Amino acid sequence: MWHHLFKHIDILPQNVHILDGNADDLEEECRQYEEKIKSFGGVELFLGADTKCSRNAGIGPDGHIAFNEPGSSLTSRTRVKTLAYETILANSRFFDGDISKVPRMALTVGVGTVMDSREVAIIITGAHKALALAKCVEEGLIVCDEDATLELHVKTVKYFKSIDHVIHDLIGTENVGLQGNTC
């Protein structure tokens, strides 16, 4: 991310925060990343881009955001994620096409982390993302705030609010781990 984006824009290095996939304790790296986000008052803009030079922040051909494979919890936070075979195969392009060199796990911001951002922009490029874009636009793979849901069917909004209610009020956010599981 530094090489392909941040060094080309007007941003101070101390204002760039990238997960370290080589950290000694990956769970702790994820926890600290979430804490850092909170300490700065949240994410102002989540920019997801998956181009020829980026590996981890865009939308996958199946519609997943970052490394949140299909089925990831909507309340998931930054965590270690086991990658689906299709994702491993897609990322082999960064490893000279050798699938055996591709990591089987990755660090990712969670869906909940993305949804908590004040603004979200996803850049989608390439024919291999056409199906993901079609599903996003035509079948509703959209991350939005509550105000943007004002014209949606009531049952859609109620469903997602009920999930949020279960996590926040019944289970308690302090009892939910980084992967959305209960402690």
Side-chain angles (χ1 to χ4, degrees), residues 52-70:
K52 291 177 187 173
C53 56
S54 121
R55 301 179 196 185
N56 59 357
I59 189 167
D62 59 7
H64 70 265
I65 294 175
F67 283 125
N68 293 287
E69 301 289 2

Side-chain angles (χ1 to χ4, degrees), residues 8-57:
H8 301 286
I9 63 173
D10 184 22
I11 190 168
L12 297 172
Q14 63 264 31
N15 292 335
V16 174
H17 306 282
I18 301 171
L19 285 162
D20 180 3
N22 294 314
D24 290 332
D25 185 339
L26 297 178
E27 292 287 334
E28 181 62 16
E29 174 71 10
C30 294
R31 190 193 65 71
Q32 287 180 9
Y33 195 78
E34 284 288 326
E35 288 299 319
K36 195 177 292 185
I37 289 170
K38 286 180 190 171
S39 76
F40 289 117
V43 174
E44 185 64 35
L45 171 66
F46 176 86
L47 174 62
D50 186 22
T51 63
K52 291 177 187 173
C53 56
S54 121
R55 301 179 196 185
N56 59 357

Side-chain angles (χ1 to χ4, degrees), residues 7-153:
K7 79 175 189 178
H8 301 286
I9 63 173
D10 184 22
I11 190 168
L12 297 172
Q14 63 264 31
N15 292 335
V16 174
H17 306 282
I18 301 171
L19 285 162
D20 180 3
N22 294 314
D24 290 332
D25 185 339
L26 297 178
E27 292 287 334
E28 181 62 16
E29 174 71 10
C30 294
R31 190 193 65 71
Q32 287 180 9
Y33 195 78
E34 284 288 326
E35 288 299 319
K36 195 177 292 185
I37 289 170
K38 286 180 190 171
S39 76
F40 289 117
V43 174
E44 185 64 35
L45 171 66
F46 176 86
L47 174 62
D50 186 22
T51 63
K52 291 177 187 173
C53 56
S54 121
R55 301 179 196 185
N56 59 357
I59 189 167
D62 59 7
H64 70 265
I65 294 175
F67 283 125
N68 293 287
E69 301 289 2
S72 291
S73 169
L74 296 178
T75 60
S76 61
R77 309 311 296 181
T78 302
R79 66 202 187 286
V80 179
K81 188 74 176 132
T82 301
L83 302 179
Y85 178 76
E86 292 78 15
T87 303
I88 293 168
L89 190 60
N91 280 282
S92 67
R93 70 186 191 271
F94 300 112
F95 298 89
D96 300 319
D98 185 349
I99 196 168
S100 69
K101 294 180 182 176
V102 182
R104 300 307 191 245
M105 301 177 87
L107 302 185
T108 188
V109 294
V111 177
T113 306
V114 174
M115 290 176 67
D116 285 348
S117 301
R118 285 180 274 292
E119 301 284 339
V120 177
I122 304 293
I123 299 170
I124 304 171
T125 60
H128 64 293
K129 301 294 176 88
L131 180 59
L133 178 61
K135 288 199 173 286
C136 178
V137 172
E138 296 170 356
E139 296 182 23
L141 179 68
I142 303 292
V143 176
C144 60
D145 65 6
E146 190 168 341
D147 290 340
T149 69
L150 293 175
E151 296 296 323
L152 293 176
H153 294 285

